[in-house]
Each structure stands twice: as C-alpha cells, then as structure tokens.
Amino acid sequence: MLSAGLPQGAVPRLERPGPLRDRVYEALLELITTRALQPGQHLVESELAGHLGVSRQPVREALQRLNTEGWVDLRPAQGAFVHEPTEAEADQLLTVRTLLEAEAARLAAANAGSAGVAALESLCAEGEKAVAADDVDGAVALNAAFHAKIMDLAGNTVLAELAAQVDRRVRWYYTPVARQRGHQSWIEHRELIAAITARDEQLATTLMREHTEHTRRSYHERAES
C-alpha cells in the first residue's frame, strides 16, 4: 500500500491534453472531498503523480493551490498534509450553509413547478436506494445533488454562486456522518418535497433549517462519540 493511501485502480490516469494542472487540482480536490484522502494524511508528490499518471510538477502546483484554499497544509521540512478541520471551522461553515439552504428552500417553494418537484422526487428515490444498499459515496453524491436542485429551483443566481462556494466543504463534512444520518436524512428530504409541492414557503424554510441543523449536530456528535 502506498503511503498516499489510495486503493489501486481508484484514480483514473489523466489524459495529457488540456490544462493539466487544473485537472490534477480537480482530481486531488475530489479525493479530499470524498475522504479517499483522509484529513491529516501525508501527501507525497511522487506517489500522487504515479497514481494520476503525471509528472510531479502539476501535482506540486495543485498542492500549492489547495494549500491557498485551505484544503492542504504545507509544513516546512515535512511536506503536504490534508487539512484537518477544527470543530469551529466546521461549525462556522455549516451555520452559513443553514442560512443559504433555508432561503433556497423558501424560494423553491415559491417558484418550483411540477418538473422541478419530479426531479426532487427522483433524486430522493435514488438516495433512498443508496442508503438501503449502504452505498455511502452514492448517498453523499445524491444528497449534494438534491440540495443543488433545490438551489437551482430557487432561481437566485447570487444565492447559487454563494452556495457553490461552500458546496465542496459541505460534502467534506457530510461524508463522515452520512451513514449516521442514514435514512432519516431522506425522510426529511421527503418532507421538504411535500412543503415545496404545497408552495408553503414558511414550512419549507423551517424544515430546511431543521434538516441542516441535524447535520451540523451530527458532525459534532461524531467527534464526541
């Protein structure tokens, strides 16, 4: 097992054409977000380059960018490590997420049509299947897609742009509690769909606030258990 800790075959080799440094950055960010690369894990340039099928230079550039954005810590004489988020960092981000998502739910209730509701129902059904199959990665991805769809139905471009800035970190924090939240999360999604369908803005806002607060509390409870 390489010290980079990636299962053999888990990372596809990148195609050479195109902005390689950006593609390496995206690949590493996805591995961090999904926790294939765990918080605190040592990131060895040569080993990551081998996994991705590239030279060390684009890996080095990607790690520097990830360091600037707070995903990676570069330690003098030690190297690069996946950032270990503090409880305060998680709490601040998940609190902001609650504000954004609650407003998105309100606007979705005001604006969503039958096609939008059908899309939410389809995502919810897929999410329930993922939970039943104990497919944590699938459930995390579908959870993100469900919330992104509500943001889309809200129809507020500025709100969507702000939400996009925190989306990756929300996934990062949600992944370790996805199994703990389990089916209950999708029950709450069903309740949100019902409120949006009924065009009940106040109820949709309340349900979304409670839903995102449950995730925030679950994240902190994870650290205490």
Side-chain angles (χ1 to χ4, degrees):
M1 176 64 69
L2 297 177
S3 62
L6 297 175
Q8 293 292 337
V11 183
R13 288 179 178 269
L14 302 180
E15 296 292 336
R16 289 279 175 182
L20 192 56
R21 77 178 110 188
D22 292 342
R23 299 179 67 185
V24 170
Y25 162 84
E26 286 294 336
L28 292 179
L29 181 53
E30 184 66 15
L31 289 168
I32 292 171
T33 302
T34 59
R35 295 190 178 237
L37 293 172
Q38 290 284 325
Q41 187 168 339
H42 187 202
L43 302 175
V44 181
E45 287 181 8
S46 59
E47 293 174 349
L48 291 172
H51 277 295
L52 297 173
V54 299
S55 68
R56 294 175 62 176
Q57 184 60 30
V59 172
R60 183 178 301 114
E61 293 172 352
L63 290 175
Q64 290 170 346
R65 180 176 172 186
L66 290 165
N67 173 68
T68 300
E69 295 176 357
W71 293 100
V72 165
D73 297 328
L74 297 179
R75 304 173 188 169
Q78 296 183 52
F81 296 81
V82 178
H83 180 66
E84 296 184 71
T86 67
E87 294 300 302
E89 287 172 358
D91 193 71
Q92 289 170 14
L93 183 121
L94 294 174
T95 297
V96 169
R97 182 228 186 176
T98 293
L99 297 173
L100 297 173
E101 297 269 8
E103 178 62 8
R106 183 188 71 78
L107 291 172
N111 299 324
S114 58
V117 169
L120 290 176
E121 289 176 341
S122 177
L123 286 167
C124 197
E126 290 300 312
E128 290 163 346
K129 289 179 184 177
V131 170
D134 197 30
D135 178 5
V136 174
D137 290 341
V140 170
L142 286 161
N143 179 75
F146 181 89
H147 284 270
K149 187 59 184 179
I150 289 180
M151 193 63 64
D152 177 59
L153 295 175
N156 186 309
T157 302
V158 175
L159 186 65
E161 289 174 351
L162 292 172
Q165 293 178 30
V166 302
D167 174 67
R168 271 258 173 68
R169 289 189 187 275
V170 169
R171 286 176 58 196
W172 195 31
Y173 297 136
Y174 183 71
T175 296
V177 300
R179 184 174 279 114
Q180 177 185 341
R181 290 284 281 130
H183 189 57
Q184 180 59 37
S185 178
W186 296 94
I187 291 174
E188 293 164 13
H189 286 167
R190 287 285 181 190
E191 294 171 345
L192 276 164
I193 293 173
I196 290 170
T197 303
R199 293 188 173 276
D200 191 330
E201 297 178 39
Q202 182 175 354
L203 179 59
T205 302
T206 298
L207 289 174
M208 181 63 89
R209 184 175 293 115
E210 292 174 349
H211 174 67
T212 53
E213 279 295 297
H214 289 162
T215 297
R216 188 178 69 85
R217 286 197 298 270
S218 293
Y219 185 85
H220 291 308
E221 288 166 2
R222 161 208 122 270
E224 295 169 0
S225 62

